[in-house]
Amino acid sequence: MKLPKVPYLIAIDGPAGSGKGTIAKLISDKLNLNYLDSGAIYRVIALGAIANNIPSDQVLKLISLVGTINMKFEGGDVLLNKEIITDKIRTSEISKFSSEIAVHSRLRDEILNLQRSFNQGNGLVAEGRDMTTVVFPNADLKVYLDASPHERANRRYKQLKLKGNNVNILSLTSEIEARDKRDKERKASPLKIADEAKVLNTDDLTIGQTVDKILTFII
Ligand code: DC
């Protein structure tokens, strides 16, 4: 597919479990663009904070971790200082902690440059909660991916089951609803639909159909 301009920047936001990680990665591979999973940055800070016994409300200590982060996305993996940490940052504990620390506007400001540094001239697909609104407000294409809490919990349940985890659909649903509430109601860069965003509900779409639909938005 030929992009209308180079570098082309696609920003995708949406709630936890809307499929934006998988979709954004596939689109970046298809179009040969860089990829940024911005949630992984919050998760890496959460990982460091937990390892150093830093509580989620100690914003200055959390900020001090930012300078130590050297992250890369390679294949399907997240690398931190060359160590593969893909699974380590996907636990329920890290999900909750990362959403708690994401309320701090000072911390969010500190990671703005880190996030923007992934836009290196050959284009980018960036996904998260504030890619369309704050981090890349001039993106060429903005997409808001949505799905019902029930569908999102179901997807997560299947993923975790496949990995051999013992999970409960009701507690997954309530974890997702709690995270939605924190992400949408916080004062600092809450998850919301940008004015120019194309909104796509993926409840009844396969991953392939969602990717194809987004590609039709590129004009
Ligand atoms: O996308 P994710 O589930 O990996 O993100 C983990 C948490 O990080 C999410 O609950 C809120 C926060 N986050 C954010 O506030 N802004 C982003 N752009 C990405 C993630």
Side-chain angles (χ1 to χ4, degrees):
M1 175 171 193
K2 196 165 167 359
L3 289 167
K5 90 180 236 295
V6 179
Y8 198 83
L9 178 49
I10 303 177
I12 304 179
D13 285 325
S18 55
K20 53 191 192 319
T22 311
I23 307 285
K25 183 79 190 64
L26 284 169
I27 293 175
S28 73
D29 288 343
K30 252 190 157 104
L31 300 178
N32 200 20
L33 303 174
N34 264 356
Y35 168 64
L36 167 63
D37 165 3
S38 61
I41 297 178
Y42 291 88
R43 287 173 182 272
V44 160
I45 299 171
L47 186 71
I50 292 169
N52 290 289
N53 288 320
I54 300 174
S56 60
D57 60 355
Q58 298 283 307
V59 67
L60 291 180
K61 289 189 178 158
L62 294 170
I63 286 173
S64 74
L65 296 172
V66 175
T68 66
I69 297 176
N70 178 7
M71 274 176 80
K72 266 194 185 158
F73 301 97
E74 261 178 28
D77 281 319
V78 185
L79 276 77
L80 173 66
N81 302 324
K82 299 194 179 147
E83 185 198 344
I84 296 178
I85 50 148
T86 322
D87 289 336
K88 253 192 198 172
I89 57 167
R90 299 276 153 212
T91 64
S92 290
E93 185 190 21
I94 298 274
S95 298
K96 181 167 180 279
F97 201 98
S98 58
S99 154
E100 284 170 7
I101 62 174
V103 302
H104 302 304
S105 56
R106 287 182 66 187
L107 177 67
R108 303 191 72 90
D109 288 347
E110 287 294 325
I111 60 171
L112 266 181
N113 285 341
L114 175 62
Q115 294 177 93
R116 289 179 178 150
S117 72
F118 284 85
N119 187 21
Q120 288 178 345
N122 61 329
L124 179 71
V125 184
E127 55 98 348
R129 304 291 188 294
D130 60 348
M131 298 298 102
T132 57
T133 52
V134 176
V135 183
F136 299 111
N138 298 322
D140 298 298
L141 172 63
K142 299 183 180 184
V143 178
Y144 186 93
L145 273 193
D146 212 351
S148 64
H150 177 72
E151 176 60 26
R152 290 185 280 132
N154 245 328
R155 290 176 188 167
R156 185 87 186 116
Y157 178 81
K158 285 184 195 155
Q159 274 174 355
L160 290 169
K161 269 274 177 207
L162 266 181
K163 287 187 180 168
N165 293 305
N166 191 11
V167 277
N168 172 310
I169 187 82
L170 287 181
S171 65
L172 279 179
T173 309
S174 61
E175 270 174 31
I176 279 193
E177 284 172 343
R179 209 135 73 85
D180 278 2
K181 191 168 156 56
R182 262 197 303 273
D183 292 346
K184 290 179 178 174
E185 293 183 2
R186 66 174 177 235
K187 282 205 187 77
S189 313
L191 170 65
K192 62 177 183 194
I193 303 175
D195 286 343
E196 323 81 59
K198 308 270 189 195
V199 181
L200 202 52
N201 185 300
T202 65
D203 272 10
D204 299 316
L205 295 179
T206 63
I207 289 170
Q209 287 168 332
T210 310
V211 168
D212 288 346
K213 184 86 190 155
I214 293 176
L215 293 178
T216 67
F217 295 149
I218 296 176
I219 40 162

